[in-house]
C-alpha cells in the first residue's frame, strides 16, 4: 500500500498520520460545488420531505418546523467535528478511520459498521420510493390507473426496484466524473420544483383554498410546545434522518481538490441548503393544508407516508403536479446513486486497513473507484430490500425508524472522537476549544441522548408500525438486532484479521503539538 501524503496547513499542528494509507482513488475529480451537490443529493431533500413530513407532523403537530430546527442543531455541531477531523486526517474511511485513531480498533470498527448498515437501509428505501414514483409517474403520463397499479404487484415492484439499484450501482462504478454530471441536473431539478411548490402552497394558503389550512404563527418555532418528550424524541429522530447523508462530501475527500478543507466547507454549504429547504417547505405546506389528520392534513394516516403524492394535484394543479412526481423520482434516483459513495468508500477503507477481507480494497484501474465494494453494496441493498418486502411491508416502515438509531450511533461516536482526538489542542486557542472540543462534544451528547431515549421508546410495540416480535416492538428488534449482528461479525473478523484489532495497522494516536521557537 502507498502512503497518503498529508501535509497540514501552516497554521495547523503536525499530525501523526504516517499510518494513513492511500487507496488509489481518482485525485482532484471533485471541486467545492460538486462536493456540496453530492452532499445535498445524498440527503435527497424531496424524497425526505415526502417520506417524513407527514410522520413528523403526526408526532409533533404544528411544532414540525421547530423540530426541523432542533434536528439541524446537533447535525451542525457534528459537521464541525467532521470538518476538523478531515483537516487532520483526510481519509475516505471518515467515521471509521477517525474513531479508530481516537478510541481504538473495536469502537472504530463498530462505528464503521453503523455507517454501512445505515446506508444499506437508506439505499433500500430510496430504491423503493423511486420504484413507486416511477409507476405513479407512468400512470399520470399515460392516464392509465392500471399502469400506476403495477406498483402494487409485488413481483413487478421488486423487479423494477432491483433494476434501479443495478443502474445506480453501474453509474457509481464508473467514477466521480459520471456521478457529478448526473447530479448537477437532478439536484437543480429538485430545488427548482421545491421552490415552485412553496410559492404555490403559500398562494393557496393566502387564498384560503383548503379548510384545513392554518395562519402562520411564531409558536410553530417553539420546540418546548411539543406535548410530550416521547413525541419530541420521535419527531427529532425523524428530523435527524432528514439530514442524514451530508457527510458524503467527506467520503470523497481523497478525490476532492483541496482535500483538507474543501469537503468540510461543502458539508456546511449542504447543511444550510437543506435546513432552508425543509423550513420553507414545511411552513408553506402547513399553512396550506394544516398538520391535522383529516382531509389533506399532513398527519392524515392515509397519506402521511407519501405527502407529495396527495398534495401534488391540489396544490400545483394537474399539469405542474406531474413535476412534483418527477422531482420525487429524481430525488430518490439521485440519492440512490450518490449514497453508494460513503458505503463503498468506508468498505474500501476498512479493507485497506485489514478490518475487512482484502478483496474489497481493490480499485478499478480505469475508473479509479472501489469497484468491488460498490458492487457489494448494490448486491446487499437488493437482497435486503427483497427479503424485507417479502417478509412484511411493515418491516420496511420500521427500518426507517430504526435508521435514526444507527445515525445517532455513528454520528455521536464521530463527534466524541473529535473532542478526544484533539484533546491536547483545546487550550491552544478559543477557536480550537470550541470547534474541536465544545461544539463536537455538545453535538455528540445531544445525539447520544436521542439514541438512548429512542432505545427506550422502541421497546414499546406501539412505536413505528405497531408490529411486534415476541411482545417487543419490531423497531427495537431491528435496530438492536443489527448492532448485535455487527458485534458478531466483528468477532469473526477479529479472528481472521488480528493485526488490525491489535492496533498494528491503524494506530490510536493524538496530534503532536508543535512547539514554536
Amino acid at each position: 500500500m502507498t502512503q497518503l501524503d498529508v501535509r497540514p496547513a501552516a497554521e495547523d499542528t503536525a499530525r501523526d498520520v504516517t499510518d494513513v494509507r492511500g487507496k488509489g482513488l481518482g485525485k482532484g475529480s471533485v471541486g467545492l460545488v460538486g462536493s456540496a451537490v453530492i452532499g445535498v443529493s445524498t440527503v435527497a431533500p424531496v424524497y425526505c420531505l415526502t417520506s417524513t413530513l407527514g410522520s413528523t407532523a403526526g408526532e409533533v403537530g404544528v411544532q414540525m418546523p421547530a423540530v426541523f430546527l432542533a434536528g439541524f442543531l446537533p447535525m451542525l455541531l457534528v459537521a464541525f467535528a467532521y470538518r476538523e477531523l478531515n483537516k487532520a486526517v483526510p481519509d475516505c474511511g471518515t467515521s471509521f478511520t477517525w474513531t479508530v485513531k481516537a478510541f481504538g480498533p473495536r469502537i472504530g470498527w463498530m462505528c464503521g459498521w453503523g455507517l454501512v448498515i445505515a446506508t444499506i437501509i437508506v439505499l433500500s428505501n430510496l430504491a423503493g420510493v423511486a420504484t413507486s414514483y416511477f409507476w405513479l409517474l407512468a400512470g399520470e403520463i399515460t392516464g392509465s390507473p392500471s399502469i400506476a397499479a403495477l406498483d402494487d404487484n409485488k413481483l413487478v415492484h421488486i423487479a423494477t426496484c432491483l433494476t434501479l439499484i443495478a443502474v445506480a450501482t453501474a453509474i457509481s462504478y464508473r467514477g466521480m466524473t459520471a456521478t457529478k454530471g448526473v447530479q448537477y441536473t437532478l439536484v437543480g431539478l429538485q430545488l427548482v420544483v421545491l421552490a415552485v411548490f412553496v410559492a404555490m402552497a403559500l398562494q393557496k394558503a393566502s387564498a384560503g383554498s383548503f379548510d384545513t389550512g392554518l395562519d402562520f404563527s411564531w409558536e410553530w418555532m417553539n420546540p418546548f410546545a411539543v406535548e410530550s418528550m416521547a413525541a419530541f424524541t420521535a419527531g427529532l429522530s425523524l428530523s435527524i434522518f432528514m439530514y442524514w447523508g451530508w457527510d458524503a462530501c467527506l467520503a470523497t475527500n481523497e478525490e476532492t481538490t483541496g482535500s483538507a478543507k474543501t469537503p468540510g466547507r461543502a458539508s456546511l454549504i449542504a447543511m444550510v441548503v437543506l435546513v432552508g429547504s425543509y423550513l420553507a417547505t414545511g411552513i408553506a405546506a402547513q399553512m396550506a393544508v394544516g398538520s391535522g389528520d383529516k382531509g389533506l392534513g399532513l398527519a392524515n394516516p392515509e397519506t402521511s407516508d407519501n405527502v407529495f403524492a396527495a398534495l401534488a394535484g391540489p396544490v400545483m394543479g394537474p399539469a405542474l403536479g406531474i413535476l412534483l412526481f418527477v422531482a420525487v423520482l429524481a430525488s430518490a434516483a439521485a440519492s440512490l446513486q450518490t449514497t453508494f459513495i460513503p458505503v463503498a468508500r468506508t468498505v474500501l477503507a476498512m479493507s485497506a486497513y485489514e478490518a475487512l477481507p482484502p478483496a474489497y480494497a481493490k480499485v478499478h484501474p480505469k475508473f479509479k473507484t472501489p469497484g468491488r465494494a460498490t458492487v457489494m453494496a448494490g448486491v446487499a441493498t437488493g437482497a435486503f430490500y427483497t427479503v424485507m418486502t417479502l417478509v412484511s411491508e411493515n418491516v420496511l416502515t420500521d427500518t426507517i425508524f430504526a435508521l435514526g438509531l444507527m445515525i445517532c450511533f455513528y454520528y455521536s461516536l464521530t463527534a466524541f472522537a473529535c473532542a478526544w482526538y484533539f484533546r491536547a489542542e483545546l487550550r491552544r486557542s478559543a477557536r480550537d476549544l470550541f470547534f474541536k472540543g465544545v461544539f463536537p462534544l455538545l453535538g455528540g451528547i445531544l445525539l447520544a441522548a436521542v439514541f438512548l431515549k429512542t432505545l427506550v421508546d422502541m421497546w414499546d410495540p406501539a412505536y413505528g408500525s405497531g408490529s411486534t416480535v415476541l411482545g417487543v416492538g419490531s423497531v427495537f428488534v431491528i435496530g438492536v438486532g443489527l448492532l448485535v449482528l455487527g458485534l458478531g461479525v466483528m468477532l469473526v473478523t477479529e479472528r481472521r484479521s488480528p493485526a488490525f484489532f491489535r492496533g498494528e495497522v491503524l494506530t490510536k494516536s493524538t496530534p503532536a503539538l508543535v512547539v514554536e521557537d
Side-chain angles (χ1 to χ4, degrees):
M1 290 288 181
T2 59
Q3 296 297 312
L4 180 65
D5 183 17
V6 182
R7 295 184 177 89
E11 68 272 14
D12 287 337
T13 57
R15 310 298 182 191
D16 179 16
V17 293
T18 54
D19 56 350
V20 174
R21 296 174 174 179
K23 321 297 185 306
L25 296 167
K27 303 290 185 183
S29 54
V30 184
L32 177 62
V33 175
S35 184
V37 165
I38 286 171
V40 173
S41 176
T42 304
V43 175
V46 180
Y47 153 74
C48 286
L49 284 165
T50 195
S51 299
T52 58
L53 198 62
S55 300
T56 307
E59 294 289 349
V60 300
V62 295
Q63 265 60 53
M64 177 244 301
V67 171
F68 285 171
L69 279 175
F72 172 71
L73 177 60
M75 286 299 184
L76 178 63
L77 297 174
V78 171
F80 289 133
Y82 271 73
R83 184 185 66 179
E84 298 304 321
L85 286 165
N86 181 72
K87 284 182 183 179
V89 189
D91 187 90
C92 72
T94 59
S95 293
F96 159 74
T97 303
W98 300 331
T99 47
V100 171
K101 299 291 286 182
F103 300 132
R106 290 173 183 81
I107 294 177
W109 198 97
M110 283 302 298
C111 187
W113 171 265
L115 187 155
V116 170
I117 290 301
T119 308
I120 295 298
I121 292 173
V122 168
L123 282 168
S124 66
N125 280 276
L126 284 167
V129 170
T131 297
S132 296
Y133 269 88
F134 173 82
W135 290 113
L136 282 172
L137 181 61
E140 287 287 327
I141 293 173
T142 60
S144 173
S146 60
I147 290 180
L150 286 173
D151 187 56
D152 297 326
N153 184 310
K154 192 164 286 191
L155 292 180
V156 172
H157 180 91
I158 291 175
T160 307
C161 187
L162 294 179
T163 301
L164 291 175
I165 291 171
V167 171
T169 304
I171 295 174
S172 296
Y173 186 90
R174 291 183 61 84
M176 294 304 300
T177 302
T179 297
K180 184 173 62 176
V182 172
Q183 293 308 317
Y184 281 132
T185 302
L186 296 181
V187 169
L189 174 64
Q190 289 182 63
L191 296 180
V192 167
V193 174
L194 268 185
V196 173
F197 174 83
V198 168
M200 298 192 75
L202 291 174
Q203 182 183 35
K204 296 286 184 182
S206 64
S209 301
F210 307 111
D211 294 338
T212 55
L214 299 171
D215 292 329
F216 174 77
S217 171
W218 286 107
E219 185 66 14
W220 297 356
M221 314 302 287
N222 179 14
F224 300 103
V226 178
E227 291 183 358
S228 68
M229 181 56 70
F232 178 77
T233 305
L236 190 61
S237 181
L238 289 168
S239 176
I240 288 171
F241 159 69
M242 292 177 71
Y243 290 105
W244 179 86
W246 55 267
D247 52 313
C249 302
L250 284 301
T252 62
N253 50 19
E254 293 185 38
E255 299 150 273
T256 304
T257 56
S259 60
K261 293 184 177 180
T262 300
R265 292 170 178 170
S267 67
L268 293 176
I269 291 172
M271 292 285 284
V272 171
V273 171
L274 290 168
V275 72
S277 300
Y278 291 159
L279 284 176
T281 306
I283 290 171
Q286 193 158 273
M287 290 176 65
V289 300
S291 60
D293 57 4
K294 305 296 183 184
L296 289 175
L298 296 176
N300 187 328
E302 296 180 3
T303 59
S304 62
D305 61 343
N306 196 346
V307 167
F308 287 154
L311 297 185
V315 173
M316 301 180 70
L320 290 178
I322 292 179
L323 281 178
L324 197 53
F325 284 94
V326 172
V328 176
L329 177 58
S331 180
S335 184
L336 179 62
Q337 186 223 321
T338 54
T339 302
F340 277 102
I341 292 172
V343 65
R345 281 150 184 79
T346 298
V347 170
L348 171 71
M350 293 179 77
S351 181
Y353 295 119
E354 302 176 30
L356 285 177
Y360 297 114
K362 294 181 179 179
V363 170
H364 194 282
K366 178 181 178 181
F367 302 127
K368 303 298 182 184
T369 60
R372 188 163 294 186
T374 301
V375 172
M376 181 280 295
V379 171
T381 299
F384 180 83
Y385 189 84
T386 300
V387 171
M388 292 297 98
T389 302
L390 292 175
V391 169
S392 169
E393 292 182 3
N394 287 335
V395 173
L396 283 173
T397 301
D398 288 340
T399 56
I400 285 290
F401 282 89
L403 178 62
L405 195 72
M406 297 294 169
I407 293 170
C408 290
F409 175 73
Y410 85 84
Y411 273 167
S412 61
L413 279 179
T414 307
F416 291 140
C418 179
W420 186 249
Y421 182 75
F422 292 114
R423 64 190 183 279
E425 298 185 7
L426 300 184
R427 295 182 181 180
R428 193 177 64 170
S429 68
R431 184 200 177 281
D432 285 343
L433 175 63
F434 283 97
F435 285 99
K436 296 177 180 178
V438 175
F439 292 159
L441 186 61
L442 181 57
I445 290 172
L446 290 173
L447 289 176
V450 174
F451 175 88
L452 293 174
K453 184 65 171 64
T454 302
L455 201 62
V456 172
D457 293 341
M458 281 179 173
W459 184 266
D460 186 349
Y463 194 92
S465 69
S467 301
T468 62
V469 177
L470 300 177
V472 180
S474 60
V475 178
F476 182 92
V477 173
I478 293 169
V480 176
L482 289 172
L483 289 175
V484 172
L485 176 63
L487 284 172
V489 175
M490 185 181 71
L491 292 175
V492 173
T493 305
E494 186 169 0
R495 284 178 167 271
R496 297 183 177 181
S497 305
F500 168 79
F501 289 95
R502 287 197 298 261
E504 298 172 1
V505 180
L506 188 61
T507 59
K508 182 179 176 183
S509 61
T510 301
L513 286 171
V514 174
V515 179
E516 300 289 347
D517 293 333

